[in-house]
Amino acid sequence: MEHEIKVAPGFRLWVEESGDPGGPPLLLVMGAGASGLTWPDSMMEALGRHHRLVRYDHRDVGRSTWAFDDNPYALTDLAADAVKILDALAIDRTHVVGMSMGGMLTQLLLLDHPDRLATATLIGTTPMDGGPVEAPGIDPALLAIWETIAEPRDRDAELDWRVRHWRILNGGELPFDPEEFRRREERIIAHAGRHDNPAAHARAGQEGLARAAELEAVTTPVLVIDSPADPIVGTAYARHLGTLLGNARLVTVPGLGHALSEAVGPQLAEVILKHTTTHNP
């Protein structure tokens, strides 16, 4: 079931419910610039056998409103959007899975709305203090391709760029199927009705994020998934995030990078379900 939910003046979000309508709710929060369709179908299918799933497109992504240039916002506003989705769907308490920037938003939910979260799962997520000083830097190949993220491209060139980007994000351990990611991005472009990338989330305000010291007081059960081949945030970040949180458990998915393939989807779902089924709302 699809919804269009108003979260702020000038912004409406595309939201989709699937899975078991009678199961415990699970909100999926994707990363920067990524549509809710980025979650692997294999993962959605496995999670949906146990949960009422809710996924959505952030502002300036997919089928949601694109208006950053006229109506700029902060990343904290994106966290507030998640709460407004829960309110609109009459969900009092939910499990939350956050990927990348979505994990940062989930950290904000843990701090500001702990009563709404049964559990949290964080994948490929930067800690609120930026991470450990001794952690490896971001892959230079990734930094280089990010410099071209907002350059104008036709649809085919944009698809090529996105597949190259996913190949780097995948890391060097798990197999990478370029045709799988091309098909997914073709579906996302069709879903959005456009192929450009304004990089709105990279330009969004970052005020209100320096709250790492508060994470120690979190009592909500948190699962931190370590993605050891992640070219952005690898094992050092996951371990550091686990030490910051007051009630965290760390699980490693061998070979996982920053790209979620269909092949790794069932394994991720299994790890997440072990966490959520232990702590049902």
Side-chain angles (χ1 to χ4, degrees):
M1 180 185 301
E2 296 184 2
H3 307 275
E4 188 180 74
I5 295 175
K6 182 178 179 180
V7 293
F11 284 102
R12 305 184 75 87
L13 303 188
W14 172 84
V15 179
E16 180 195 67
E17 291 186 86
S18 64
D20 179 1
L26 191 158
L27 178 69
L28 295 154
V29 187
M30 194 23 87
S35 166
L37 299 187
T38 306
W39 297 104
D41 290 341
S42 59
M43 179 178 171
M44 294 291 294
E45 181 180 350
L47 292 175
R49 288 194 285 268
H50 303 269
H51 287 285
R52 171 189 176 188
L53 300 181
V54 179
R55 63 176 172 179
Y56 66 101
D57 291 338
H58 294 292
R59 307 181 190 192
D60 290 279
V61 171
R63 204 173 288 175
S64 294
T65 306
W66 296 47
F68 182 85
D69 290 335
D70 296 322
N71 193 359
Y73 47 83
L75 293 179
T76 51
D77 293 318
L78 300 185
D81 289 350
V83 178
K84 291 175 182 177
I85 290 171
L86 297 179
D87 290 344
L89 299 180
I91 296 174
D92 294 328
R93 200 157 179 254
T94 184
H95 301 280
V96 178
V97 176
M99 171 70 194
S100 194
M101 180 193 76
M104 177 68 77
L105 303 182
T106 302
Q107 291 174 65
L108 289 171
L109 297 179
L110 284 165
L111 294 178
D112 295 334
H113 302 277
D115 57 314
R116 307 297 294 271
L117 274 64
T119 71
T121 299
L122 309 176
I123 310 170
T125 299
T126 302
M128 282 187 162
D129 63 357
V133 176
E134 70 277 7
I138 296 174
D139 187 331
L142 198 53
L143 294 174
I145 198 169
W146 281 350
E147 290 181 358
T148 66
I149 191 171
E151 290 182 358
R153 289 177 283 269
D154 63 27
R155 180 182 179 278
D156 288 342
E158 175 65 18
L159 278 168
D160 290 342
W161 186 96
R162 294 187 189 189
V163 173
R164 289 198 304 273
H165 187 218
W166 283 122
R167 184 185 292 275
I168 299 169
L169 289 173
N170 191 65
E173 296 188 26
L174 293 181
F176 179 78
D177 180 356
E179 290 308 312
E180 172 191 328
F181 283 87
R182 181 175 293 274
R183 288 191 299 271
R184 185 184 297 173
E185 289 300 333
E186 287 174 339
R187 179 183 172 199
I188 288 170
I189 288 173
H191 167 74
R194 57 193 294 177
H195 69 270
D196 54 321
N197 187 348
H201 300 157
R203 297 183 285 146
Q206 298 194 21
E207 59 272 15
L209 298 181
R211 300 175 61 186
E214 300 175 48
L215 293 173
E216 185 179 2
V218 168
T219 58
T220 305
V222 181
L223 175 67
V224 178
I225 295 182
D226 169 26
S227 45
D230 195 321
I232 304 176
V233 288
T235 298
Y237 285 86
R239 289 177 177 170
H240 181 69
L241 182 55
T243 64
L244 291 176
L245 286 155
N247 188 11
R249 183 170 63 93
L250 183 71
V251 173
T252 298
V253 175
L256 183 63
H258 207 78
L260 306 184
S261 68
E262 293 296 339
V264 80
Q267 185 178 3
L268 280 171
E270 181 181 0
V271 169
I272 293 167
L273 287 170
K274 284 181 180 178
H275 182 55
T276 60
T277 56
T278 303
H279 307 280
N280 275 328

